[in-house]
Amino acid sequence: MFGKILIANRGEIACRVIRTARKLGVRTVAVYSDADARALHVEMADEAVHIGPSPVGESYLRGDRIIAAALATGAEAIHPGYGFLSENPDFVDQVTAAGLVFVGPSAASIRAMGLKDAAKRLMEKAGVPVVPGYHGEAQEIVLLASKAREIGYPVLIKARAGGGGKGMRRVDHPDDFSEALSGARREAKAAFGDDRVLVEKYVDKPRHIEVQVFGDNFGNAVHLYERDCSAQRRHQKVIEEAPAPGMTPALRKAMTEAAIKAAKAINYSGAGTIEFIVDASAGLKPDRFWFMEMNTRLQVEHPVTEMVTGVDLVEWQLRVASGEKLPKTQGEIALAGHAFEARVYAEDAAKGFLPATGTLHHLKFPDVPPEGAAMRIETGVRAGDAISPFYDPMIAKLVVHGKDRTTALAALRDALARTEVAGSTVNTAFLAALVEDADFTAGDVDTGLISRHQETLIALPAPSDEAIAAAALAATDAGAPGPAADPWSTLLGYAHFHTLARRTRLRFGEENILARVSARPDGRFQVALEAPHDAINSHDLRNLPRTARWPGHVTVFEGAIGYTFAVPDPLSKADEAAAATGSLRAPMPGLVKLVRAATGDTVIKGQPLLILEAMKMEHTIAAPHDGVIAEIAAEGAQVSDGTVLVRFVEEALG
């Protein structure tokens, strides 16, 4: 076993690797960018080395700096985590050339599976079924459009490099092919530096089922059963589970045998995942699944496999990379119970899942699982940390396990309901709605489920009067006596002739709320809300919703929903009028990738004006109303959150 390893990653996965390394007595070296100087993974590691500015191209993708850090600290091996350099064969070559060990497969194996088109040709030769489509080298638009017609619409355009849903477009009609191809190519070029694509038949009711495989350097390979990753939005996974619901013995046998065949075809060593697309339109059948791609690394969703097999996959990675054989044979790997993983992201589901930024002023996860269940919280952040625009906005993974799917699903509901995040927009309410969805609950999941039910899944009920009352109480610091309370605003003082009371203002969205909070002799409070709300009579504070007070705001938690109320500063002289409609501002930091309008153009509501690239994904910015453009951002401009992208001629508004 190694004495010291360097982790060429950040956030949740870096913390995850550190925990297993510590268990094995292996010392760890973290690397960090400017933005991560005080990150949790830096604090957890035994040593840490600064490798550059915040952008990934100047830090976490700088293989030379990472290798130099490993050599300088005496690390014997480099664990890549997932993402960044984890599937870069040139980096693997550089690591081995420096006399270090790469904790993962060989460069040859990564190259064999690194490009989807070449990988599918290889799998066809190995006897693994592949999706019907065009996987050739030619990239002329006329040829690709012709192949799409031959395959038959709908088709899926996919970047041949990378993954994570980037560079992927579904096309339902020939007239839309050209624009979809352009978008896929731009996104693929930005994310992977390669704009080449392949075109495949789009399966009508696709299930995304993948098999975890593991090989060593002695020719051994095993599988650790399957995971279902069909719950996706924008081709990115949201909730994963193991085993796959409805899995039949015949299909499991066929898929796991195909997965082992794929791994052995490239002499695979380490943790890997063979991803299959399954046609579920007529049930799960052993002749209706096809190879999509292989991820030659540890997957984000690996904890669900660990939960149902009892295997520490990171430990296996380190043991195999250090020269040991696989710790178990196929017959020794058993499947027990059911597990789910839900990814908690800083993103706004109601705005097309736009990534969000912000400071995590309040962050609380459940610390005890429900009876009969097990739970893991995988995170790389803590309260006070900022969600940076430079990296993936994942906050945590909630992982639960139960004796069966029903028990595990109940545990996931409970975990989501007890997760509290304030300071950034998060997707916990969306996840909770998905878990309650009738089709999801029944296990009738396919990759289109979220898009079909999206309107219902992102809808939020208005805050209850109880939630508003709780926000008003928190805004006045009522019920919080002691050193933390504001002695001038607390209502728990002495009043000789009348009950102490205070009026407070809140704002929820566009609604302004006035409330009168009064203290009662028995220690409870009465909150009266002005119309259109009814008066809220006295409440015992212990029965009110959970709240978090943070600068200028109060967040009230009701189940998995966090309602955030602005608390205006009464001394502020800032104009609190509603924002004028004369300009369109950036919803998040990003790069203006493409501009589709010009100064002087007359545009209509909903018309695409420009494309903003953020976190390697493209987001279309459309006109919020009819108008004439007075000014528009330049192509290639780097903008921050709130930057004016488009200004309209005022006379044209209305």
Side-chain angles (χ1 to χ4, degrees):
M1 180 54 66
F2 305 113
K4 182 188 289 188
I5 63 170
L6 180 142
I7 303 164
N9 218 296
R10 63 176 301 279
E12 170 267 326
I13 186 57
C15 296
R16 164 73 186 88
V17 175
I18 290 170
R19 285 196 300 274
T20 288
R22 184 178 294 162
K23 180 182 71 175
L24 297 174
V26 177
R27 292 180 60 80
T28 54
V29 180
V31 292
Y32 64 93
S33 68
D34 289 347
D36 283 339
R38 295 179 177 83
L40 182 58
H41 75 281
V42 174
E43 179 182 295
M44 288 179 63
D46 296 299
E47 301 174 58
V49 178
H50 177 252
I51 54 171
S54 302
V56 294
E58 301 175 48
S59 52
Y60 295 107
L61 292 180
R62 287 294 302 268
D64 56 337
R65 294 181 183 174
I66 290 169
I67 291 171
L71 294 173
T73 56
E76 303 155 68
I78 294 179
H79 193 301
Y82 52 71
F84 295 145
L85 295 168
S86 62
E87 294 181 283
N88 186 318
D90 294 335
F91 177 64
V92 178
D93 284 336
Q94 292 162 8
V95 170
T96 54
L100 302 167
V101 176
F102 181 78
V103 182
S106 67
S109 293
I110 295 176
R111 287 191 175 96
M113 290 296 190
L115 299 177
K116 295 183 180 71
D117 50 357
K120 289 182 178 182
R121 291 194 295 269
L122 177 62
M123 290 299 98
E124 283 182 303
K125 291 180 181 178
V128 178
V130 300
V131 182
Y134 173 71
H135 309 131
E137 292 287 341
Q139 293 289 300
E140 293 80 7
I141 185 173
V142 175
L143 173 67
L144 295 176
S146 173
K147 292 296 182 182
R149 284 192 172 87
E150 289 178 17
I151 296 165
Y153 286 89
V155 298
L156 196 62
I157 301 172
K158 298 173 67 175
R160 75 171 198 160
K166 299 179 179 68
M168 189 179 295
R169 296 289 190 279
R170 171 180 170 167
V171 191
D172 294 297
H173 193 275
D175 292 346
D176 301 324
F177 187 85
S178 177
E179 184 172 357
L181 177 63
S182 297
R185 281 177 165 167
R186 282 195 308 272
E187 204 166 87
K189 184 69 173 178
F192 317 118
D194 185 344
D195 66 356
R196 288 169 290 183
V197 301
L198 49 86
V199 182
E200 293 180 341
K201 177 65 180 173
Y202 184 85
V203 180
D204 288 329
K205 191 175 182 181
R207 290 271 296 272
H208 180 136
I209 302 177
E210 59 190 31
V211 176
Q212 177 72 59
V213 294
F214 219 107
D216 62 20
N217 296 308
F218 300 90
N220 302 306
V222 297
H223 71 79
L224 292 96
Y225 302 95
E226 80 282 351
R227 297 184 290 257
D228 194 303
C229 305
S230 301
Q232 302 179 6
R233 52 56 173 167
R234 295 175 62 176
H235 305 294
Q236 292 186 309
K237 301 166 187 175
V238 175
I239 295 179
E240 304 94 353
E241 59 182 301
M247 176 59 72
T248 65
L251 179 57
R252 177 174 288 144
K253 182 176 185 295
M255 290 185 73
T256 54
E257 287 179 352
I260 293 295
K261 190 181 295 184
K264 288 191 172 182
I266 57 171
N267 299 314
Y268 195 77
S269 176
T273 299
I274 311 297
E275 298 193 351
F276 296 103
I277 188 168
V278 181
D279 183 353
S281 59
L284 299 182
K285 297 183 177 180
D287 62 346
R288 302 295 291 169
F289 76 94
W290 302 279
F291 172 87
M292 284 198 302
E293 62 183 345
M294 181 178 188
N295 286 303
T296 52
R297 54 171 168 79
L298 197 66
Q299 291 279 86
V300 176
E301 59 274 18
H302 75 274
V304 294
T305 294
E306 295 183 322
M307 286 292 223
V308 296
T309 62
V311 170
D312 184 332
L313 292 174
V314 174
E315 177 179 343
W316 278 32
Q317 284 186 299
L318 295 175
R319 291 193 181 281
V320 167
S322 66
E324 297 181 25
K325 290 185 177 181
L326 288 176
K328 290 185 178 182
T329 63
Q330 189 66 68
E332 295 173 317
I333 303 171
L335 183 65
H338 203 98
F340 284 96
E341 174 184 288
R343 303 186 188 187
V344 178
Y345 276 98
E347 65 182 11
D348 193 336
K351 294 182 179 179
F353 300 99
L354 273 175
T357 55
T359 298
L360 301 175
H361 291 284
H362 176 84
L363 184 63
K364 183 179 180 181
F365 299 110
D367 52 4
V368 179
E371 187 175 353
M375 179 177 63
R376 284 167 54 176
I377 308 297
E378 301 284 349
T379 185
V381 296
R382 71 228 129 148
D385 286 350
I387 301 299
S388 167
F390 296 103
Y391 314 118
D392 184 90
M394 187 167 69
I395 294 172
K397 302 184 304 195
L398 307 183
V399 190
V400 297
H401 179 269
K403 64 181 180 179
D404 51 34
R405 191 174 190 270
T406 300
T407 305
L409 197 56
L412 182 58
R413 291 191 185 101
D414 178 82
L416 286 166
R418 291 192 289 142
T419 295
E420 302 175 7
V421 185
S424 178
T425 303
V426 293
N427 68 337
T428 49
F430 162 74
L431 292 171
L434 177 57
V435 168
E436 295 292 347
D437 179 86
D439 288 342
F440 187 88
T441 299
D444 185 14
V445 184
D446 63 80
T447 59
L449 182 146
I450 290 177
S451 61
R452 289 195 304 273
H453 299 184
Q454 185 164 320
E455 186 174 340
T456 301
L457 295 175
I458 65 175
L460 288 179
S464 66
D465 281 351
E466 286 72 21
I468 298 172
L473 287 167
T476 60
D477 291 313
D486 176 0
W488 300 107
S489 61
T490 183
L491 299 174
L492 291 179
Y494 171 76
H496 186 67
F497 294 109
H498 56 81
T499 301
L500 284 171
R502 179 181 173 185
R503 295 186 73 197
T504 187
R505 290 189 304 148
L506 302 171
R507 189 170 60 251
F508 183 77
E510 299 300 318
E511 182 182 6
N512 290 306
I513 301 167
L514 289 176
R516 181 181 176 85
V517 182
S518 303
R520 293 171 58 93
D522 60 3
R524 293 182 296 167
F525 296 87
Q526 185 177 34
V527 181
L529 304 177
E530 293 192 0
H533 299 279
D534 296 327
I536 305 299
N537 292 321
S538 59
H539 285 275
D540 187 328
L541 283 174
R542 290 169 295 180
N543 295 330
L544 286 174
R546 299 159 290 156
T547 62
R549 179 78 186 265
W550 48 287
H553 300 82
V554 171
T555 299
V556 180
F557 302 100
E558 289 191 321
I561 303 175
Y563 295 106
T564 294
F565 298 81
V567 183
D569 181 356
L571 301 179
S572 173
K573 298 184 182 299
D575 181 13
E576 296 181 359
T581 57
S583 61
L584 184 60
R585 297 178 182 273
M588 59 192 299
L591 174 71
V592 178
K593 193 72 174 180
L594 185 67
V595 176
R596 292 184 168 182
T599 300
D601 284 359
T602 299
V603 297
I604 61 174
K605 182 179 179 180
Q607 179 178 333
L609 301 182
L610 50 83
I611 291 176
L612 185 69
E613 180 190 278
M615 299 179 184
K616 299 300 183 183
M617 297 290 284
E618 291 187 354
H619 309 277
T620 299
I621 305 298
H625 48 68
D626 297 352
V628 177
I629 294 177
E631 184 181 352
I632 191 165
E635 211 165 273
Q638 188 77 43
V639 298
S640 59
D641 188 7
T643 299
V644 174
L645 297 175
V646 182
R647 200 179 303 278
F648 296 93
V649 176
E650 292 187 15
E651 293 76 9
L653 297 176

